[in-house]
DNA sequence: GTTCGACGATAACATTTGTTATCAAATGCA
DNA sequence: TGCATTTGATAACAAATGTTATCGTCGAAC
């Protein structure tokens, strides 16, 4: 009884509307899967995974913002941001059970749902047999890879100023919501230099 | 008759020993697949795919060395090198039938085998149904992604000098075989700067 | 053998970017 | 409200890296 109420509660969350649209799977299966999702409401600066730990959970973001970063000689280097609708884990650590190269941390008060690795593995094992879903997963994998490549290529072909303008054009929500020193770290420059760039762009 | 001789000829190539070890598939299937491979012997500086073209072939390297690069304001930016045993295509272009962001070019006289996209697609469609092979493909996909991430992370966390030393340690064959200005372009610096780095390291 | 082009080293100078320090404004919290 | 912390701007100086030009060597093509 309690489990059923639990389940209905989850089913109504916006997160699942989003997922159900993305993965059209029979309702019956969804009910089973939804029991593997755990809600987490956390304040800003909550660490979801520490650099060096092994990733045991994958997080789905219903509300808020998450940052992946690592430490290098005391400096804070940002690899990625995730917003509403995003799915985040240290995928290398999650897949290969090796220590995570990155820390995953909220930068806004956030509403998250997580799935434990063992649950996620069994869901995936089941779903991968369905050709349409399999195709979708492979697509997602490719898209992730292409995204990394794109970000990487932008590092070697564009100046920091151009990279900033790319973000302004393609992901303006990031500029609006994320503190500037994190943006600078994401662009691979110091916050002082980003200040200079913004100043120069005004003139 | 001719087709059979052709096939036997191919079967003996070192390339296929390598592939057969990597993908243990029944001999019968291999015979069919091997007919889709076409041998290509080319001199240095042969363009296999031009920036802007749509990738229609995937190349397997039996002997030689291949470079992926693109042009930015007349400058030559290198993304990757491939040596013997490597498999190269503009994967984004190959998968999505979009113009390739990179040029693919030999930098040594090379012996290659290529497979046309339509053949590769049908081979993959067949093989993806075999769970072990499917797992292997997904592994390969992940590994590619992790490689890109690693290379990318090294760009944001290491100095050019450290990146050069990483290559010296991890891929010394590249330093030995590849002209220095291509190495510089791969490291994201000018050849002048790489000269300075080497000079500094001597002292 | 001669010539031409590719490759690599080096120097002088220019530009970009980082470092450190200081201050002002905004924000969260008691 | 008021204080502490975070965030962002700016200046002065230092270090890293690019640009351009010159020169020497080596190997391939004629």
């Amino acid at each position: 009884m309690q489990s059923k109420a639990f389940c209905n509660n989850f089913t109504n969350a916006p997160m699942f509307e989003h997922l159900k649209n993305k993965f059209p799977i029979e309702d019956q299966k969804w009910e089973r899967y939804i029991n593997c999702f755990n809600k987490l409401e956390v304040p800003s600066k909550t660490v979801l995974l520490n650099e060096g730990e092994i990733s045991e959970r994958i997080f789905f973001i219903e509300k808020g913002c998450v940052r992946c970063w690592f430490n290098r000689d005391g400096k804070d280097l940002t690899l990625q941001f995730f917003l509403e609708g995003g799915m985040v884990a240290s995928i290398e650590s999650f897949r290969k059970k090796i220590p995570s190269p990155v820390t995953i941390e909220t930068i806004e008060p956030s509403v998250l749902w997580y799935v434990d690795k063992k649950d996620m593995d069994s869901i995936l094992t089941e779903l991968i047999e369905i050709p349409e879903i399999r195709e979708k997963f492979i697509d997602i994998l490719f898209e992730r890879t292409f995204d990394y490549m794109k970000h990487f290529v932008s590092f070697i072909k564009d100046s920091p100023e151009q990279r900033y303008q790319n973000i302004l054009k393609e992901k303006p929500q990031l500029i609006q919501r994320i503190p500037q020193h994190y943006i600078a770290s994401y662009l691979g420059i110091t916050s002082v230099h980003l200040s200079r760039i913004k100043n120069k762009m005004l003139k």
Side-chain angles (χ1 to χ4, degrees), chain A:
Chain A
M1 274 308 269
Q2 198 207 4
S3 166
K4 179 68 179 162
F6 203 51
C7 172
N8 282 337
N9 180 24
F10 281 13
T11 312
N12 293 331
M15 185 75 242
F16 295 105
E17 292 310 311
H18 177 75
L19 281 179
K20 283 185 175 181
N21 287 334
K22 211 160 175 181
F23 298 102
I25 300 163
E26 308 114 70
D27 283 351
Q28 185 193 353
K29 279 190 180 173
W30 262 119
E31 277 191 32
R32 268 196 295 131
Y33 298 157
I34 281 174
N35 283 315
C36 299
F37 283 74
N38 306 278
K39 191 175 187 177
L40 202 58
E41 293 190 60
V42 296
S44 184
K45 306 213 176 187
T46 303
V47 171
L48 303 175
L49 177 73
N50 261 304
E51 188 176 334
E53 289 174 0
I54 292 176
S55 169
E56 300 286 1
R57 295 173 172 179
I58 186 165
F59 296 88
F60 297 80
I61 305 172
E62 178 169 316
K63 179 89 193 66
C65 181
V66 171
R67 180 174 77 106
C68 292
W69 61 279
F70 64 94
N71 185 294
R72 168 73 173 186
D73 304 331
K75 265 169 290 179
D76 187 292
L77 302 175
T78 299
L79 282 174
Q80 260 180 308
F81 300 108
F82 296 87
L83 301 178
E84 285 79 13
M87 180 176 76
V88 56
S90 171
I91 59 168
E92 193 161 359
S93 174
F94 192 76
R95 180 161 177 92
K96 294 162 68 173
K97 298 186 181 174
I98 58 177
S100 169
V102 296
T103 293
I104 301 179
E105 187 177 0
T106 58
I107 55 179
E108 287 179 6
S110 302
V111 180
L112 310 167
W113 298 85
Y114 69 82
V115 178
D116 284 317
K117 177 164 170 57
K118 63 174 192 330
D119 292 331
M120 196 66 192
D121 284 346
S122 77
I123 293 174
L124 286 181
T125 303
E126 187 172 318
L127 289 182
I128 203 79
E129 294 297 331
I130 304 170
E132 298 77 38
I133 303 290
R134 180 198 306 155
E135 279 309 303
K136 194 125 197 174
F137 278 128
I138 291 179
D139 263 343
I140 289 175
L141 244 182
F142 268 109
E143 280 307 320
R144 274 274 168 124
T145 304
F146 297 154
D147 273 351
Y148 279 116
M149 288 169 65
K150 198 174 163 194
H151 190 189
F152 174 55
V153 164
S154 137
F155 256 81
I156 60 179
K157 94 171 184 216
D158 297 327
S159 68
E161 178 170 345
Q162 285 167 319
R163 285 204 296 286
Y164 181 69
Q165 292 189 343
N166 290 346
I167 298 186
L168 264 183
K169 195 191 299 177
E170 291 166 26
K171 304 180 181 176
Q173 339 83 290
L174 294 186
I175 306 287
Q176 288 153 17
R177 286 170 65 169
I178 295 171
Q180 183 168 313
H181 60 286
Y182 292 148
I183 298 282
S185 152
Y186 178 68
L187 291 173
I189 59 178
T190 60
S191 61
V192 173
H193 192 51
L194 179 52
S195 258
R196 278 196 284 244
I197 286 171
K198 287 176 69 176
N199 186 283
K200 183 183 161 203
M201 281 170 57
L202 287 179
K203 293 165 188 168

